[in-house]
Amino acid sequence: MTTELPKTFDPAEIEARWYAHWEENGLFRPERPDAAPYTIVNPPPNVTGSLHIGHALDNTLQDVMIRYERLRGKDALWVVGTDHAGIATQMVVERQLEAQQDKRTNYSREDFVAKVWEWKEESGGTITRQLRRLGCSMDWSREQFTMDEHFSQAVLKTFVDLYNDGLIYRDKRLVNWDPKLKTAISDLEVETQDVKGGFWHFKYPLADGVTTAEGKDYLVVATTRPETMLADMAVAVHPEDERYKSVVGKHVVLPITGRRVPIVADEHADPELGSGCVKITPGHDFNDFDVGKRAGFKPADMLNMLDAEANVCQTADGLVPEEFLGLHRFKRDGVDGARELVVARMKECGCLIPHVTKDKEGNETEHDAEPRTIATPFGDRGGVVIEPWLTDQWYVDAEKLAVKPIEAVKSGDIEIVPKSWEKTFFNWMENIQPWCVSRQLWWGHRIPAWYDAEGRAYVAMTEEEAQAQAGEGVMLTRDEDVLDTWFSSALWPSATLGWPEQTDLLTKHYPNDLLISGFDILFFWDARMMMMGQYNTGQNPWPKLYLHGLVRAADGQKMSKSKGNVVDPLGLIDQYGADALRFFMAAMESQGRDIKMDDKRIEGYRNFATKLWNATRFCQANGIGASTSVAAPEARHAVNRWIVGEVVETKQALDAALAELRFDAAANTIYHFVWDRFCDWYIELIKGNFDEETKAVAGWALDQILVMLHPFMPFITEELWSKQGDRPDYPLITAQWPDPQAEVDAEAKAEIDWLIALTSATRTAKNELGIAPGAKLAAFVANPSPLGKRVVEANGAAIERLARLTPVTFGEAPAGAAMQIAAGEDEFVIPLEGVIDIEAEKARLEKALAASAKEAKSLEGRLGNANFVERAKPEAVEKARADHAHHVAEIARLEAALARLG
């Protein structure tokens, strides 16, 4: 028995009801101990996070695959959890304390960490609730957190093992230092912004009476960061630069500090840029650090002039003048800093070369610096300029760990989809740098290293084990730092399943089957999972990695809060329903391309859901209910044999598309089957002929639609499934993927496709000529094909009802004005005498044709003008292209209409 559907489709009501039902009844991971496994791990969002449009895309694609494989009978496990997000979470809690006129340093480390756990329990579940709104069928019964006890043990074991194998070490190197948060941060946490700044030119006097080939007793260097000269250690020139060959190996004496520094030959210096001389500050610039090492400076000997808050401190050689000590690196809060004082002192001693400009009258004006727009690194959370800073940190030897992942991708053991990303992957992995994994925070996995009074490190799982290494009575102090959150999340595919314990879950579900990820974390997360998977388990974490693009604003721009173009997925769900948003994401996900937001398309998919809803109501009204068989029912009528074949072909196309992770092709396949073949044609063709066979076939075909559409639109399909029949023990989420056990009936396909072609051609011709859609017209076919004759004779009533052609006569048409239409090999002649005024219609069409031709030519000229295409606003160019395409199509349509009239 069917349950009558309401007239109106209301997504909000059914979404809340069905999600709760699925979760409460354990349907996201039903007991299937003997089934083949299928496993995906969700990229763990920050515990502080909220669902953004990128999450909506990423999780929709994962859910499509997990629901698809669950329907195919697999033991489908979608691992879900959150990342402890060291910096982000600590900042949230610190802000709360600040709002209460309190601060972190008022607490012991243990008490502050306890406060973070309190916040996590009270407020850390926002994004997991939002993922439920999207319909994500995750295994919430095993929700993971990167700071859970079992996960923390996995993190510590990995660190200790890597250390014992010589793959983790402590070293002095440059890091991205956030002076506000006072911690090292990863490249991912650095945002580059264009900032108005200056380009200063300084004279560095040559020592010992040396002069250049041009007779100058100084070198000219340029910098955007004058303050760093306080820690300069060299000047570099290109080894082939003839101007400076005579001074390589000589020295300059730095103004202000009086430091004597060498002139070194290094290809980093570009002879074509400026003077060809580059000041080298290895302790405060990543490029200079490498130049310094090549010049023979050990990192431990490189000068540092800034403290953790980016205030000037004394260098190891003690040459920074007292007046600079304590100043911030540059002007802050209106107070001049070291930058401003350096410029003033260089000007006073005659070592500043002014930048000269001329006005229209030729009058010269001197400026301290040349104005420049400078790409400047900012911390994405601290919001201040990042400082390259020389510190002791823990590093992973990523170069050695990258070897096996590189081999895996090259051999095909790991397939990257789209394949175009492989080149980027290899380029990064083959040039990989040591990975800094220590962070100066309190919240996170504390590094398992203890130091004795001499600074020797003892790395162990516990303090007791470290003490045993150091010996009885040796005082030990634990490392204050925590691990980079990417270190722990690199263990996600295995540690979430119980590793290092050899659990049944790990045995069955590791390696995972697929990872779906944004391309922007290919290196920060995906590649590191490959490294750690191979290191810890000897296996790749998964055989296939799918990288999707970004979701951009409607105009193609990257979304950002500063631009005000960020789209809230929850708002879209409220407006159109989760199913419509999910279908949009899948349908627009084309490999290798970004997605442009388009509310009209989402609205269109909401209309698609409504169409399916109304089609189901129509079926119910005509006694069509749930199917009782997975296999296709027996069918004699051509229309029923045809729809069975359409299901077979759709299922085959869907399987092929999802096997290749072509989400757009899969979504469009089921869309066109539902809208075009089932709703627009099958339902129309069976109207008035609801015998038992047709009811059975229609009910079965509708069930197959609900199953095949379910991975994309889970809510509406489950609702319709439940209302089509009483099957409480067979919910759609755990139903069986279609297995029609039938083949395409070529004869039925030919007949129905011929009938559809005739109807479509007739409707198009009527529309072109302004004939009322409901007007019945006589038709003649002089020499019908065997197929055409058979279809006309068997489907006269359907042809009259759908194509509005009656009678259809086999024979020559009478003389006079007529239009011609084709169906397959058959040419139909439809007399028009008395139907329309032929001459008036010709005049109308010719006038419209001339107007479209004129407009198309004008637009073609504009689009052929390089000035317009390059200088006009992108939206104006896009509109011109769309208008041109419209008029070209109109010309073709109008010419076809005129041709019909002869």
Side-chain angles (χ1 to χ4, degrees):
M1 285 288 292
T2 61
T3 303
E4 186 178 353
L5 290 166
K7 288 184 178 180
T8 305
F9 166 50
D10 178 11
E13 188 275 327
I14 66 172
E15 287 171 10
R17 173 161 46 84
W18 276 114
Y19 199 92
H21 175 83
W22 292 328
E23 186 173 355
E24 289 165 7
N25 289 277
L27 296 175
F28 294 145
R29 183 140 185 271
E31 287 292 329
R32 291 177 177 175
D34 300 324
Y38 185 83
T39 314
I40 294 179
V41 295
N42 180 45
N46 287 352
V47 69
T48 58
S50 295
L51 191 74
H52 59 61
I53 202 70
H55 289 134
L57 170 62
D58 196 65
N59 286 281
T60 292
L61 302 182
Q62 292 175 73
D63 200 32
V64 166
M65 294 307 299
I66 211 76
R67 286 180 184 270
Y68 169 65
E69 295 294 356
R70 188 186 294 120
L71 289 166
R72 297 213 304 165
K74 302 275 185 72
D75 178 11
L77 169 62
W78 188 6
V79 175
V80 62
T82 49
D83 188 282
H84 64 278
I87 293 176
T89 307
Q90 181 160 319
M91 281 186 66
V92 166
V93 177
E94 288 199 50
R95 284 199 195 106
Q96 283 190 346
L97 292 175
E98 288 169 9
Q100 301 160 10
Q101 283 76 51
D102 202 351
K103 58 183 178 180
R104 171 173 60 91
T105 51
N106 288 342
Y107 298 85
S108 68
R109 182 180 190 131
E110 291 72 22
D111 288 344
F112 177 78
V113 169
K115 282 193 169 294
V116 180
W117 277 108
E118 286 175 18
W119 174 88
K120 191 261 181 185
E121 295 306 315
E122 293 172 5
S123 309
T126 298
I127 197 163
T128 57
R129 289 190 295 273
Q130 293 169 337
L131 287 169
R132 289 171 166 89
R133 292 273 325 263
L134 189 63
C136 297
S137 57
M138 296 158 158
D139 182 14
W140 296 107
S141 69
R142 295 191 61 263
E143 184 177 348
Q144 302 288 299
F145 183 53
T146 49
M147 288 286 283
D148 286 342
E149 180 58 31
H150 77 275
F151 205 103
S152 296
Q153 289 301 306
V155 172
L156 295 181
K157 174 176 169 53
T158 301
F159 187 97
V160 173
D161 289 350
L162 285 167
Y163 178 81
N164 290 334
D165 287 342
L167 295 170
I168 274 187
Y169 55 91
R170 193 162 170 81
D171 195 11
K172 186 181 287 291
R173 294 176 62 92
L174 280 186
V175 296
N176 294 310
W177 185 262
D178 188 316
K180 182 175 181 181
L181 302 179
K182 290 186 281 190
T183 180
I185 63 174
S186 72
D187 291 343
L188 186 66
E189 294 158 323
V190 177
E191 292 181 344
T192 300
Q193 300 176 22
D194 286 338
V195 175
K196 289 183 178 180
F199 199 45
W200 287 266
H201 291 76
F202 293 154
K203 293 179 183 178
Y204 279 6
L206 287 158
D208 306 320
V210 172
T211 59
T212 66
E214 298 169 338
K216 294 179 179 177
D217 62 355
Y218 61 87
L219 299 182
V220 175
V221 298
T223 181
T224 59
R225 299 198 299 154
E227 67 279 8
T228 61
M229 73 157 296
L230 299 175
D232 278 357
M233 297 186 72
V235 172
V237 296
H238 195 278
E240 302 302 321
D241 194 332
E242 295 293 337
R243 295 172 296 176
Y244 304 115
K245 278 190 174 182
S246 64
V247 298
V248 171
K250 309 301 183 184
H251 295 77
V252 296
V253 177
L254 299 179
I256 300 178
T257 63
R259 185 178 300 119
R260 183 183 173 97
V261 303
I263 301 163
V264 300
D266 195 285
E267 292 184 354
H268 172 65
D270 186 345
E272 303 299 320
L273 288 179
S275 68
C277 301
V278 181
K279 61 186 285 297
I280 301 300
T281 320
H284 294 281
D285 182 278
F286 288 103
N287 289 322
D288 291 4
F289 179 79
D290 292 333
V291 175
K293 286 200 299 181
R294 290 194 292 269
F297 297 117
K298 294 178 181 178
D301 297 331
M302 292 178 182
L303 297 178
N304 174 52
M305 54 161 284
L306 297 173
D307 64 16
E309 295 180 344
N311 298 321
V312 177
C313 62
Q314 187 56 268
T315 52
D317 60 8
L319 293 178
V320 177
E322 185 76 24
E323 64 176 333
F324 287 91
L325 301 182
L327 293 179
H328 192 60
R329 52 187 165 165
F330 45 64
K331 181 180 283 190
R332 181 177 62 176
D333 300 328
V335 178
D336 283 351
R339 176 174 299 178
E340 290 72 27
L341 186 55
V342 163
V343 172
R345 294 294 177 261
M346 292 295 280
K347 194 172 182 178
E348 288 172 6
C349 69
C351 291
L352 173 70
I353 301 173
H355 173 66
V356 179
T357 59
K358 290 184 180 181
D359 60 21
K360 293 178 181 179
E361 287 74 37
N363 301 313
E364 293 187 348
T365 304
E366 291 187 351
H367 308 273
D368 289 347
E370 175 189 346
R372 286 277 183 95
T373 298
I374 302 164
T376 305
F378 282 77
D380 65 348
R381 301 194 185 278
V384 299
V385 175
I386 292 304
E387 189 65 42
W389 202 47
L390 199 60
T391 62
D392 290 310
Q393 302 283 347
W394 287 94
Y395 291 89
V396 170
D397 188 343
E399 184 178 0
K400 289 180 181 174
L401 290 178
V403 171
K404 288 185 177 179
I406 290 171
E407 290 174 355
V409 176
K410 284 185 175 177
S411 68
D413 289 343
I414 292 179
E415 178 189 2
I416 298 179
V417 182
K419 192 176 179 65
S420 56
W421 277 107
E422 283 187 5
K423 183 178 180 181
T424 307
F425 173 81
F426 290 134
N427 183 56
W428 190 76
M429 293 289 273
E430 289 167 356
N431 296 282
I432 198 165
Q433 297 297 306
W435 172 18
C436 177
V437 294
S438 45
R439 298 290 181 268
Q440 291 63 54
L441 302 169
W442 282 2
W443 171 244
H445 298 105
R446 194 167 178 181
I447 289 174
W450 287 260
Y451 303 97
D452 62 19
E454 284 74 42
R456 282 189 293 268
Y458 303 91
V459 174
M461 291 289 290
T462 64
E463 185 172 1
E464 290 73 23
E465 292 177 18
Q467 191 69 64
Q469 291 178 27
E472 190 176 343
V474 177
M475 290 290 294
L476 296 180
T477 304
R478 187 166 185 177
D479 197 307
E480 292 288 329
D481 292 352
V482 299
L483 284 164
D484 175 16
T485 52
W486 293 107
F487 185 91
S488 50
S489 61
L491 312 184
W492 195 247
S494 59
T496 53
L497 302 174
W499 186 89
E501 300 298 323
Q502 292 302 307
T503 63
D504 292 341
L505 203 63
L506 182 70
T507 301
K508 185 172 185 179
H509 290 277
Y510 187 87
N512 310 156
D513 290 88
L514 170 69
L515 181 75
I516 294 177
S517 159
F519 72 81
D520 52 337
I521 55 173
L522 170 60
F523 306 124
F524 299 103
W525 189 48
D526 307 344
R528 288 167 178 170
M529 281 189 286
M530 295 185 204
M531 295 180 196
M532 294 304 189
Q534 273 287 351
Y535 177 75
N536 281 331
T537 72
Q539 294 177 285
N540 298 315
W542 11 257
K544 188 174 287 191
L545 167 62
Y546 181 86
L547 298 171
H548 59 75
L550 300 175
V551 183
R552 295 184 175 272
D555 60 2
Q557 290 193 61
K558 192 172 181 179
M559 291 187 189
S560 72
K561 291 178 182 177
S562 61
K563 293 177 183 174
N565 61 357
V566 174
V567 174
D568 176 14
L570 298 178
L572 294 172
I573 290 173
D574 290 340
Q575 189 171 2
Y576 303 111
D579 285 334
L581 177 59
R582 289 168 59 104
F583 203 91
F584 168 79
M585 291 298 181
M588 299 301 289
E589 172 53 28
S590 180
Q591 289 182 9
R593 296 182 181 178
D594 290 343
I595 292 174
K596 287 184 183 179
M597 278 306 303
D598 187 341
D599 282 21
K600 282 295 180 186
R601 270 189 177 268
I602 303 175
E603 183 181 5
Y605 293 131
R606 160 68 189 264
N607 295 340
F608 170 62
T610 299
K611 189 175 183 78
L612 177 61
W613 183 273
N614 291 336
T616 306
R617 291 185 69 244
F618 173 83
C619 288
Q620 289 186 349
N622 288 280
I624 298 168
S627 175
T628 57
S629 170
V630 173
E634 291 292 326
R636 293 175 295 105
H637 303 320
V639 69
N640 291 329
R641 287 183 284 129
W642 169 77
I643 199 65
V644 169
E646 291 293 309
V647 169
V648 171
E649 290 186 329
T650 300
K651 187 256 184 186
Q652 291 171 345
L654 261 181
D655 285 338
L658 291 175
E660 296 178 356
L661 300 176
R662 295 199 170 274
F663 294 97
D664 54 346
N668 290 325
T669 293
I670 187 63
Y671 178 91
H672 288 296
F673 173 62
V674 174
W675 191 294
D676 302 339
R677 312 306 267 176
F678 186 80
C679 293
D680 280 359
W681 290 113
Y682 181 66
I683 284 179
E684 288 300 318
L685 288 164
I686 64 174
K687 278 182 179 176
N689 183 31
F690 294 107
D691 59 15
E692 292 306 310
E693 175 193 308
T694 299
K695 288 181 183 178
V697 172
W700 174 85
L702 180 55
D703 272 0
Q704 307 318 297
I705 283 173
L706 299 179
V707 177
M708 290 188 289
L709 185 58
H710 180 75
F712 304 90
M713 290 183 147
F715 293 110
I716 186 173
T717 51
E718 188 77 84
E719 177 72 359
L720 296 178
W721 178 270
S722 71
K723 295 296 192 289
Q724 273 298 91
D726 186 17
R727 34 190 174 191
D729 297 326
Y730 194 60
L732 177 56
I733 191 173
T734 53
Q736 184 176 335
W737 189 248
D739 181 17
Q741 300 168 37
E743 296 180 356
V744 176
D745 187 316
E747 182 179 278
K749 182 175 180 62
E751 288 187 17
I752 301 304
D753 284 351
W754 189 96
L755 180 56
I756 290 171
L758 174 63
T759 303
S760 298
T762 304
R763 291 173 175 174
T764 299
K766 281 183 171 181
N767 181 56
E768 287 172 352
L769 298 176
I771 300 171
K776 290 186 178 182
L777 305 175
F780 295 82
V781 55
N783 298 298
S785 66
L787 173 62
K789 193 168 189 299
R790 187 168 71 247
V791 176
V792 170
E793 288 175 344
N795 296 277
I799 291 172
E800 179 179 353
R801 180 165 51 83
L802 298 174
R804 311 300 284 172
L805 295 179
T806 186
V808 177
T809 304
F810 298 132
E812 296 288 345
M819 67 177 181
Q820 292 186 338
I821 59 172
E825 300 175 7
D826 297 290
E827 290 287 340
F828 285 75
V829 178
I830 300 174
L832 295 177
E833 292 289 347
V835 178
I836 58 172
D837 183 329
I838 302 296
E839 293 307 316
E841 184 60 19
K842 277 186 177 181
R844 182 186 73 81
L845 292 171
E846 286 169 348
K847 182 178 179 181
L849 176 61
S852 272
K854 181 180 178 182
E855 191 62 29
K857 186 175 181 180
S858 171
L859 288 163
E860 190 175 342
R862 289 176 71 193
L863 291 168
N865 183 340
N867 281 335
F868 170 72
V869 174
E870 293 169 7
R871 296 180 181 178
K873 290 183 178 179
E875 52 267 34
V877 176
E878 192 64 33
K879 184 177 187 305
R881 286 182 177 139
D883 289 347
H884 180 259
H886 165 74
H887 285 292
V888 168
E890 272 295 281
I891 290 168
R893 184 185 73 80
L894 294 165
E895 286 176 341
L898 282 164
R900 292 186 194 282
L901 296 177

mmCIF file with all atom_site columns, all heavy atoms in Angstrom, residues 269-280:
data_model
loop_
_atom_site.group_PDB
_atom_site.id
_atom_site.type_symbol
_atom_site.label_atom_id
_atom_site.label_alt_id
_atom_site.label_comp_id
_atom_site.label_asym_id
_atom_site.label_entity_id
_atom_site.label_seq_id
_atom_site.pdbx_PDB_ins_code
_atom_site.Cartn_x
_atom_site.Cartn_y
_atom_site.Cartn_z
_atom_site.occupancy
_atom_site.B_iso_or_equiv
_atom_site.pdbx_formal_charge
_atom_site.auth_seq_id
_atom_site.auth_comp_id
_atom_site.auth_asym_id
_atom_site.auth_atom_id
_atom_site.pdbx_PDB_model_num
ATOM 1  N N   . ALA A 1 269 ? 72.289 36.191 -6.969  1.00 0.00 ? 269 ALA A N   1
ATOM 2  C CA  . ALA A 1 269 ? 72.355 37.606 -7.384  1.00 0.00 ? 269 ALA A CA  1
ATOM 3  C C   . ALA A 1 269 ? 72.126 37.692 -8.894  1.00 0.00 ? 269 ALA A C   1
ATOM 4  O O   . ALA A 1 269 ? 72.791 37.010 -9.672  1.00 0.00 ? 269 ALA A O   1
ATOM 5  C CB  . ALA A 1 269 ? 73.703 38.193 -7.008  1.00 0.00 ? 269 ALA A CB  1
ATOM 6  N N   . ASP A 1 270 ? 71.174 38.509 -9.296  1.00 0.00 ? 270 ASP A N   1
ATOM 7  C CA  . ASP A 1 270 ? 70.835 38.665 -10.713 1.00 0.00 ? 270 ASP A CA  1
ATOM 8  C C   . ASP A 1 270 ? 71.489 39.948 -11.237 1.00 0.00 ? 270 ASP A C   1
ATOM 9  O O   . ASP A 1 270 ? 71.139 41.052 -10.810 1.00 0.00 ? 270 ASP A O   1
ATOM 10 C CB  . ASP A 1 270 ? 69.321 38.740 -10.882 1.00 0.00 ? 270 ASP A CB  1
ATOM 11 C CG  . ASP A 1 270 ? 68.892 38.762 -12.342 1.00 0.00 ? 270 ASP A CG  1
ATOM 12 O OD1 . ASP A 1 270 ? 69.753 38.999 -13.224 1.00 0.00 ? 270 ASP A OD1 1
ATOM 13 O OD2 . ASP A 1 270 ? 67.689 38.555 -12.603 1.00 0.00 ? 270 ASP A OD2 1
ATOM 14 N N   . PRO A 1 271 ? 72.434 39.845 -12.190 1.00 0.00 ? 271 PRO A N   1
ATOM 15 C CA  . PRO A 1 271 ? 73.116 41.049 -12.709 1.00 0.00 ? 271 PRO A CA  1
ATOM 16 C C   . PRO A 1 271 ? 72.170 42.037 -13.367 1.00 0.00 ? 271 PRO A C   1
ATOM 17 O O   . PRO A 1 271 ? 72.498 43.220 -13.489 1.00 0.00 ? 271 PRO A O   1
ATOM 18 C CB  . PRO A 1 271 ? 74.100 40.472 -13.746 1.00 0.00 ? 271 PRO A CB  1
ATOM 19 C CG  . PRO A 1 271 ? 74.235 39.028 -13.413 1.00 0.00 ? 271 PRO A CG  1
ATOM 20 C CD  . PRO A 1 271 ? 72.920 38.613 -12.823 1.00 0.00 ? 271 PRO A CD  1
ATOM 21 N N   . GLU A 1 272 ? 71.002 41.552 -13.816 1.00 0.00 ? 272 GLU A N   1
ATOM 22 C CA  . GLU A 1 272 ? 70.057 42.419 -14.518 1.00 0.00 ? 272 GLU A CA  1
ATOM 23 C C   . GLU A 1 272 ? 69.178 43.227 -13.563 1.00 0.00 ? 272 GLU A C   1
ATOM 24 O O   . GLU A 1 272 ? 68.460 44.130 -13.981 1.00 0.00 ? 272 GLU A O   1
ATOM 25 C CB  . GLU A 1 272 ? 69.158 41.573 -15.434 1.00 0.00 ? 272 GLU A CB  1
ATOM 26 C CG  . GLU A 1 272 ? 69.902 40.731 -16.460 1.00 0.00 ? 272 GLU A CG  1
ATOM 27 C CD  . GLU A 1 272 ? 70.718 41.579 -17.411 1.00 0.00 ? 272 GLU A CD  1
ATOM 28 O OE1 . GLU A 1 272 ? 70.212 42.649 -17.824 1.00 0.00 ? 272 GLU A OE1 1
ATOM 29 O OE2 . GLU A 1 272 ? 71.862 41.196 -17.724 1.00 0.00 ? 272 GLU A OE2 1
ATOM 30 N N   . LEU A 1 273 ? 69.171 42.848 -12.295 1.00 0.00 ? 273 LEU A N   1
ATOM 31 C CA  . LEU A 1 273 ? 68.301 43.531 -11.333 1.00 0.00 ? 273 LEU A CA  1
ATOM 32 C C   . LEU A 1 273 ? 69.101 44.554 -10.533 1.00 0.00 ? 273 LEU A C   1
ATOM 33 O O   . LEU A 1 273 ? 70.077 44.196 -9.854  1.00 0.00 ? 273 LEU A O   1
ATOM 34 C CB  . LEU A 1 273 ? 67.659 42.527 -10.378 1.00 0.00 ? 273 LEU A CB  1
ATOM 35 C CG  . LEU A 1 273 ? 66.551 41.630 -10.960 1.00 0.00 ? 273 LEU A CG  1
ATOM 36 C CD1 . LEU A 1 273 ? 66.034 40.683 -9.891  1.00 0.00 ? 273 LEU A CD1 1
ATOM 37 C CD2 . LEU A 1 273 ? 65.405 42.483 -11.499 1.00 0.00 ? 273 LEU A CD2 1
ATOM 38 N N   . GLY A 1 274 ? 68.694 45.828 -10.603 1.00 0.00 ? 274 GLY A N   1
ATOM 39 C CA  . GLY A 1 274 ? 69.335 46.879 -9.820  1.00 0.00 ? 274 GLY A CA  1
ATOM 40 C C   . GLY A 1 274 ? 70.823 46.940 -10.073 1.00 0.00 ? 274 GLY A C   1
ATOM 41 O O   . GLY A 1 274 ? 71.298 46.854 -11.208 1.00 0.00 ? 274 GLY A O   1
ATOM 42 N N   . SER A 1 275 ? 71.575 47.036 -8.980  1.00 0.00 ? 275 SER A N   1
ATOM 43 C CA  . SER A 1 275 ? 73.032 47.140 -9.098  1.00 0.00 ? 275 SER A CA  1
ATOM 44 C C   . SER A 1 275 ? 73.681 45.787 -9.320  1.00 0.00 ? 275 SER A C   1
ATOM 45 O O   . SER A 1 275 ? 74.869 45.703 -9.647  1.00 0.00 ? 275 SER A O   1
ATOM 46 C CB  . SER A 1 275 ? 73.598 47.759 -7.816  1.00 0.00 ? 275 SER A CB  1
ATOM 47 O OG  . SER A 1 275 ? 73.430 46.852 -6.728  1.00 0.00 ? 275 SER A OG  1
ATOM 48 N N   . GLY A 1 276 ? 72.917 44.700 -9.111  1.00 0.00 ? 276 GLY A N   1
ATOM 49 C CA  . GLY A 1 276 ? 73.491 43.360 -9.205  1.00 0.00 ? 276 GLY A CA  1
ATOM 50 C C   . GLY A 1 276 ? 74.060 42.875 -7.892  1.00 0.00 ? 276 GLY A C   1
ATOM 51 O O   . GLY A 1 276 ? 74.535 41.747 -7.789  1.00 0.00 ? 276 GLY A O   1
ATOM 52 N N   . CYS A 1 277 ? 74.010 43.716 -6.851  1.00 0.00 ? 277 CYS A N   1
ATOM 53 C CA  . CYS A 1 277 ? 74.500 43.345 -5.511  1.00 0.00 ? 277 CYS A CA  1
ATOM 54 C C   . CYS A 1 277 ? 73.307 43.078 -4.594  1.00 0.00 ? 277 CYS A C   1
ATOM 55 O O   . CYS A 1 277 ? 72.324 43.823 -4.611  1.00 0.00 ? 277 CYS A O   1
ATOM 56 C CB  . CYS A 1 277 ? 75.344 44.465 -4.911  1.00 0.00 ? 277 CYS A CB  1
ATOM 57 S SG  . CYS A 1 277 ? 76.782 44.908 -5.916  1.00 0.00 ? 277 CYS A SG  1
ATOM 58 N N   . VAL A 1 278 ? 73.417 42.033 -3.786  1.00 0.00 ? 278 VAL A N   1
ATOM 59 C CA  . VAL A 1 278 ? 72.320 41.667 -2.879  1.00 0.00 ? 278 VAL A CA  1
ATOM 60 C C   . VAL A 1 278 ? 72.857 41.549 -1.464  1.00 0.00 ? 278 VAL A C   1
ATOM 61 O O   . VAL A 1 278 ? 73.836 40.826 -1.213  1.00 0.00 ? 278 VAL A O   1
ATOM 62 C CB  . VAL A 1 278 ? 71.685 40.314 -3.299  1.00 0.00 ? 278 VAL A CB  1
ATOM 63 C CG1 . VAL A 1 278 ? 70.537 39.968 -2.359  1.00 0.00 ? 278 VAL A CG1 1
ATOM 64 C CG2 . VAL A 1 278 ? 71.211 40.369 -4.736  1.00 0.00 ? 278 VAL A CG2 1
ATOM 65 N N   . LYS A 1 279 ? 72.243 42.278 -0.523  1.00 0.00 ? 279 LYS A N   1
ATOM 66 C CA  . LYS A 1 279 ? 72.611 42.129 0.885   1.00 0.00 ? 279 LYS A CA  1
ATOM 67 C C   . LYS A 1 279 ? 72.105 40.769 1.375   1.00 0.00 ? 279 LYS A C   1
ATOM 68 O O   . LYS A 1 279 ? 70.998 40.346 1.021   1.00 0.00 ? 279 LYS A O   1
ATOM 69 C CB  . LYS A 1 279 ? 72.033 43.259 1.738   1.00 0.00 ? 279 LYS A CB  1
ATOM 70 C CG  . LYS A 1 279 ? 70.523 43.354 1.737   1.00 0.00 ? 279 LYS A CG  1
ATOM 71 C CD  . LYS A 1 279 ? 70.023 44.590 2.487   1.00 0.00 ? 279 LYS A CD  1
ATOM 72 C CE  . LYS A 1 279 ? 70.108 44.484 3.977   1.00 0.00 ? 279 LYS A CE  1
ATOM 73 N NZ  . LYS A 1 279 ? 69.273 43.404 4.558   1.00 0.00 ? 279 LYS A NZ  1
ATOM 74 N N   . ILE A 1 280 ? 72.881 40.090 2.195   1.00 0.00 ? 280 ILE A N   1
ATOM 75 C CA  . ILE A 1 280 ? 72.541 38.741 2.633   1.00 0.00 ? 280 ILE A CA  1
ATOM 76 C C   . ILE A 1 280 ? 72.362 38.728 4.149   1.00 0.00 ? 280 ILE A C   1
ATOM 77 O O   . ILE A 1 280 ? 73.302 38.998 4.906   1.00 0.00 ? 280 ILE A O   1
ATOM 78 C CB  . ILE A 1 280 ? 73.627 37.726 2.213   1.00 0.00 ? 280 ILE A CB  1
ATOM 79 C CG1 . ILE A 1 280 ? 73.804 37.732 0.691   1.00 0.00 ? 280 ILE A CG1 1
ATOM 80 C CG2 . ILE A 1 280 ? 73.281 36.319 2.703   1.00 0.00 ? 280 ILE A CG2 1
ATOM 81 C CD1 . ILE A 1 280 ? 72.555 37.365 -0.097  1.00 0.00 ? 280 ILE A CD1 1
#
